[in-house]
Every structure is written in C-alpha cells, then in structure tokens.
Amino acid sequence: MKYFDKILIANRGEIAIRIMRACRELGIDTVAIYSEPDKNSLHVKYADEAFCVGEAHPSKSYLNKERICDVAKKTGAEAIHPGYGFLAENADFAKLVEDEGLTFIGPSWKTIKALGSKIGSKQMMHDAGVPVLPGTPEGVRSLDEAKKVAAEIGYPVIVKASAGGGGIGMHIAENEEQLEEAIEKGMRIAQSAFGDPTVFVEKYLTKPRHIEIQILADSKGHILHLYDRECSIQRRHQKLLEEAPCPIMTPALRERMTASAIAAAKAANYTNAGTVEFLYSNGNYYFMEVNTRLQVEHTVTEFITGLDMVKQQIAIAAGEELAMDQEDVSIRGHAIECRINAEDPLNNFAADPGKIVRYRSPGGPGIRVDSGIHVGYTIPPHYDSMISKLCALGSNREEAIQRMRRAIYEYVILGVKTTLPLHYAIMHNAHFIAGDTHTHFLQEEHIMADLRRYLHEEEARMQTLAASLRQGKHVAAITAAVNVYLQKNMK
C-alpha cells in the first residue's frame, strides 16, 4: 500500500538511506536535505530530489526547522520523517510540521514534550505503576535538599539534566563534597546544552545492565511490544553494541518488563514506534526514559522479528491500524549490532574524520550493513562520528557472535581510525561471550588491553584485504563513469 506520495527525510547519512529504502519499496518518492559539506553524500544521490538547507553547522542546516518545512511544502512532500538525532525528539519541530499541514512520522508533539522532561516522565511512570529509581521528585531546589535526599537513598548518587540526553550533564557523586560539585557542574552544562538548568538526583547503580523494550502503537490504542534489546556496552553513556534479545532475559522477567513498557506507552498516550529504556540490577529494573523516535539499534529488532520498523512507522503515521496482534510477533534467532564509528578507541574515542581511501563491506549469510560511506568519501567533522552499523543474525547467540567475527574480519575501512578493532576484541572477550555485560564493561573487563594486542593484527588484515581493492586505470575509468551516471540519473 502507498501511504504517501512523497516524504521528506530530515536527516543525513545511513539513517536517511535506510528510510529512503523503505519508501522506495513502498513506491513513495523521497526528498533529501543536506548541508553544504554533504552535497556529495550518498543519501543526496539516492533520493528522488535533494535540496541544500544551509551551512555545515547543524543549527544552520539539519536543525533549521523553518527551512526544512519550507522545502517540504515547496516539493509537495506530505510527511516528514526525522530519523534519529537532530530534530527527531524536538517537540517544537513536530508541532511546526503539524501546524504547516504536514504529517510528522513519529509520536505527537505533546507526547514528545511530556516525555522530554526526565523529571516529568519519571513522575508519570511512577503514577502508572512503572518502577523508578528513588531520588528527588522534582528539580533540585537547594543543595541542602539534595544532600538530604542523597543521605536517605544512600551514596553513590547521580545528578542528571532534566532536559538532557546522550549522557550530557550526568555526574556521579560518592559523597556530599562531590554532590555539591556535581550539581553546580550539571546545572551549568544543562543550561548550555539544553537551555534548561534543571537537574535532579537519583540513586546510582554501580554495574547495571541497560535493557530496553521496543514498542509500536497506532492511533486506535493498539500497543505491541517487539521484545527486548541489551544495550549495556557503552562509552561515555552512549551505546556501542546492541543485541536482541537480551542474553539474560527469562520469560517471567520479559513478561514484567514488557507489561511495564506498555503501561508507559499508555500513560503517555503514545503512537508510532518508541523505546522504553530500563536499568536492571540484582533482579530489579527501573524506568530510565522513553526514546520517542526510531532507535539506531532498530536493526536487531528487525532481524529477530522480520518486521520493517520504518514501514510500520509510515503506516501508523498515515492512520493505519497495526496489522498484527501480539501473538503474531515472535523471536527468530539472535542479532547483534556493532556501531562503527570514525573514532580512535585508544585515544579516549576521539573523533577521526577524514577521507575513506579503501572500503569493502562484508556480506554472506546473516550479515547486514547500514552505511552512508564509500571509497573517496570524506567524513565531515561537524556531525556524529558513526559511519556504519554492522549487524549479524544467527539461529542463536553463539552463531550470531561467530558471524559477527567473520563480518568484522571481512570489513575494510582505511583512511580513518574506526571502532572495528574494538568490536573484534569484544567478540573474543570471555565475559561478553558468556553474556556477562554491564554499563561499565569497557572500563572493567580489560577490553582496551586486548584491543592493543588485536590492533596490529587487524591493521595487517585490512591491508591484505585492501590490496585486492587497488584500482588499475581501467577500473578507475569504469568507476568514474559510474559516478557520472549516478549524478545524472539519481536526481
């Protein structure tokens, strides 16, 4: 079914291409937007139409709400898909899209706004019977109040920005002295990053697991869960590797957590795709937040359920009811996603933008690569460092790990440093293989020591495989001709 004639994708890179692929299968024309340095990016070439929306800095381009809506109206697009990041969870943007007579492919702006406040959403979940961590019920009004609450719930505690996300503005305090510093620093960063200095304090779990539940909800009140994902391996509170289902999940725990996720969706009057995130420790789980958008790691859920999440989003946004019941959704196998970032893991994950001089993506049974890069592409320094998502599906977790190892072995990216060697080390780590992970996994499981050992081996492997990619004059001429053809015919 063709739900819309034309959709504008308000994003860039691999997620823009991912959305465009679903649209192409549905017979929907696509409009890409791009910043000046992205004019030769693959998502620009792939779309049916593409328009520059401004300069390199995101505030001048991918965050330019009015300009994006103007392009949508001028091109005749009926809907806008925000992808993730940028404006995906911006309530003002979702409202503007609606006010301009367009369809926002995601939850309502009112829901985004309500769930965007960590304090407000936490209270909402508490009222709905969803477990939450103990802490200050409102924003910190005074240091004395914060000290009193911290003493009651016990150190360590964590200070969070109410309007925050991505780990920004989060600080851990082991005692009163650190708490004072954490609040002062957290408020300053929250004001700078989000325009809202409100922070709150809650109990800090030292080695929790990060487990999330994927939900789908239509406008008629039907809500489904698409099972669980494990996202515990992180750096700077941002995910590096995800898998589905969670390795430690039991039927009883899944029943409790999915019921809580559906209760959260009902409390927020949720529609479209969303993710309810929890922290899990010692048999208990606690609400963390709702991501009101398509997740980076939606790929592993697609692998184990066979559902196309983007198509589901588009159908729901068009007013369609969910075409399946809960009993129609089942788990088939195990999937792992590795985020391939242009970063140096041995230099505190410093970004490493630059030109891709050799590139070969892996393939074979059970492998999926979502990427927006190619040979000759220059990774700009202005945006997120993730350049590719490498996914593996197996009949069970053991086979998924085996396939991911093979895929990493086959993957060649030369010209920039990436997290590929880090993922290679993780795939061979005994604790990971046993499913024993937590949010401090990278710091405590000696991964970096293993990484140094694997790094030279990985570099040698890539150079060997890359030798087969060196182009002679004849191949280079063919490549150039193909590029010219694409530029002329993919507009």
Side-chain angles (χ1 to χ4, degrees):
M1 180 182 292
K2 190 174 182 179
Y3 304 106
F4 299 99
D5 290 319
K6 186 181 292 186
I7 292 175
L8 181 144
I9 293 85
N11 219 295
R12 63 183 297 278
E14 62 83 17
I15 189 57
I17 295 171
R18 166 67 188 94
I19 296 164
M20 291 173 192
R21 283 172 168 161
C23 290
R24 190 169 293 275
E25 292 180 15
L26 292 170
I28 299 171
D29 290 340
T30 56
V31 180
I33 60 169
Y34 61 94
S35 64
E36 290 173 358
D38 270 346
K39 64 181 179 180
N40 293 317
S41 293
L42 191 57
H43 80 279
V44 176
K45 309 299 181 185
Y46 192 92
D48 297 293
E49 303 173 65
F51 293 85
C52 182
V53 288
E55 301 169 18
H57 195 279
S59 64
K60 303 289 187 180
S61 51
Y62 296 107
L63 295 176
N64 191 336
K65 299 186 286 288
E66 292 75 16
R67 174 65 175 143
I68 292 170
C69 284
D70 184 55
V71 170
K73 292 169 66 178
K74 286 183 177 178
T75 58
E78 303 144 282
I80 295 179
H81 196 305
Y84 49 71
F86 294 124
L87 294 168
E89 295 181 281
N90 188 301
D92 291 339
F93 178 61
K95 186 176 187 301
L96 178 61
V97 171
E98 181 182 313
D99 290 344
E100 293 291 345
L102 304 169
T103 299
F104 181 79
I105 301 178
S108 72
W109 68 267
K110 293 180 181 178
T111 297
I112 296 173
K113 184 176 182 179
L115 293 173
S117 165
K118 282 186 166 57
I119 294 173
S121 62
K122 185 175 178 179
Q123 185 61 50
M124 181 192 297
M125 297 308 141
H126 178 271
D127 294 343
V130 179
V132 299
L133 281 167
T136 52
E138 299 176 351
V140 172
R141 290 171 291 193
S142 71
L143 182 59
D144 287 340
E145 178 198 26
K147 288 180 178 179
K148 181 181 178 182
V149 171
E152 291 174 351
I153 64 178
Y155 288 95
V157 297
I158 186 167
V159 176
K160 294 182 178 180
S162 178
I168 300 172
M170 292 170 56
H171 301 281
I172 300 163
E174 300 280 355
N175 51 51
E176 279 196 4
E177 183 179 346
Q178 291 183 8
L179 177 62
E180 185 172 352
E181 182 182 350
I183 290 174
E184 180 183 340
K185 188 182 295 184
M187 291 178 71
R188 186 172 65 250
I189 293 175
Q191 176 64 47
S192 174
F194 310 112
D196 180 358
T198 307
V199 297
F200 64 101
V201 177
E202 67 181 17
K203 179 65 178 175
Y204 178 69
L205 304 178
T206 53
K207 287 187 179 181
R209 299 181 82 110
H210 180 135
I211 302 174
E212 60 189 31
I213 307 296
Q214 177 70 59
I215 58 168
L216 281 178
D218 63 27
S219 58
K220 306 300 190 293
H222 305 137
I223 306 173
L224 301 178
H225 72 77
L226 304 185
Y227 297 97
D228 39 274
R229 295 188 290 253
E230 168 84 51
C231 309
S232 296
I233 298 181
Q234 306 174 4
R235 60 98 172 93
R236 297 196 294 270
H237 303 288
Q238 294 181 325
K239 303 164 189 171
L240 279 176
L241 182 151
E242 304 94 349
E243 53 183 313
C246 170
I248 65 161
M249 190 59 66
T250 65
L253 179 59
R254 178 174 288 133
E255 184 176 354
R256 290 165 53 208
M257 293 189 74
T258 55
S260 290
I262 290 175
K266 289 179 179 178
N269 194 27
Y270 203 93
T271 56
N272 216 274
T275 298
V276 186
E277 299 192 334
F278 299 96
L279 290 176
Y280 174 88
S281 179
N282 298 321
N284 298 310
Y285 63 91
Y286 307 92
F287 171 80
M288 185 162 52
E289 64 181 351
V290 178
N291 289 138
T292 56
R293 55 172 169 79
L294 186 69
Q295 291 280 80
V296 173
E297 60 271 21
H298 74 277
T299 51
V300 291
T301 295
E302 289 184 327
F303 251 159
I304 67 165
T305 63
L307 294 173
D308 187 312
M309 291 287 297
V310 177
K311 288 182 181 178
Q312 294 293 327
Q313 284 191 292
I314 293 171
I316 292 170
E320 295 293 318
E321 293 187 39
L322 290 169
M324 77 287 289
D325 296 319
Q326 188 63 64
E327 54 267 27
D328 299 321
V329 185
S330 59
I331 296 175
R332 296 177 287 182
H334 194 98
I336 300 171
E337 173 184 274
C338 292
R339 299 191 188 192
I340 312 305
N341 300 337
E343 297 175 345
D344 183 358
L346 292 178
N347 186 24
N348 198 31
F349 293 95
D352 190 40
K355 186 176 181 179
I356 305 294
V357 297
R358 294 283 186 273
Y359 183 81
R360 181 187 187 278
S361 59
I367 300 302
R368 168 177 171 175
V369 180
D370 284 23
S371 172
I373 62 173
H374 52 81
V375 174
Y377 175 69
T378 298
I379 301 167
H382 317 289
Y383 313 115
D384 188 85
S385 60
M386 189 179 72
I387 55 176
S388 173
K389 299 187 311 197
L390 176 59
C391 307
L393 173 69
S395 58
N396 52 42
R397 190 169 184 267
E398 180 182 7
E399 184 175 57
I401 292 173
Q402 292 168 347
R403 285 181 168 173
M404 181 60 79
R405 289 174 182 170
R406 170 178 60 79
I408 292 172
Y409 175 83
E410 295 176 4
Y411 212 165
V412 175
I413 304 175
L414 292 178
V416 297
K417 293 182 173 67
T418 76
T419 51
L420 273 170
L422 173 63
H423 288 298
Y424 184 84
I426 293 172
M427 289 299 123
H428 288 82
N429 179 270
H431 291 279
F432 174 77
I433 293 169
D436 181 18
T437 62
H438 50 85
T439 56
H440 296 279
F441 183 83
L442 291 186
Q443 293 89 343
E444 298 193 7
E445 301 305 340
H446 311 293
I447 292 295
M448 292 309 169
D450 292 338
L451 175 59
R452 294 178 189 278
R453 181 161 50 89
Y454 287 129
L455 196 58
H456 294 301
E457 180 183 334
E458 279 288 279
E459 288 177 348
R461 174 193 60 78
M462 279 199 189
Q463 292 290 351
T464 299
L465 289 176
S468 66
L469 304 177
R470 293 195 178 98
Q471 298 177 343
K473 292 182 179 179
H474 180 65
V475 175
I478 294 174
T479 301
V482 170
N483 287 336
V484 170
Y485 174 81
L486 289 173
Q487 292 173 7
K488 289 182 177 180
N489 294 280
M490 291 191 72
K491 288 294 192 183

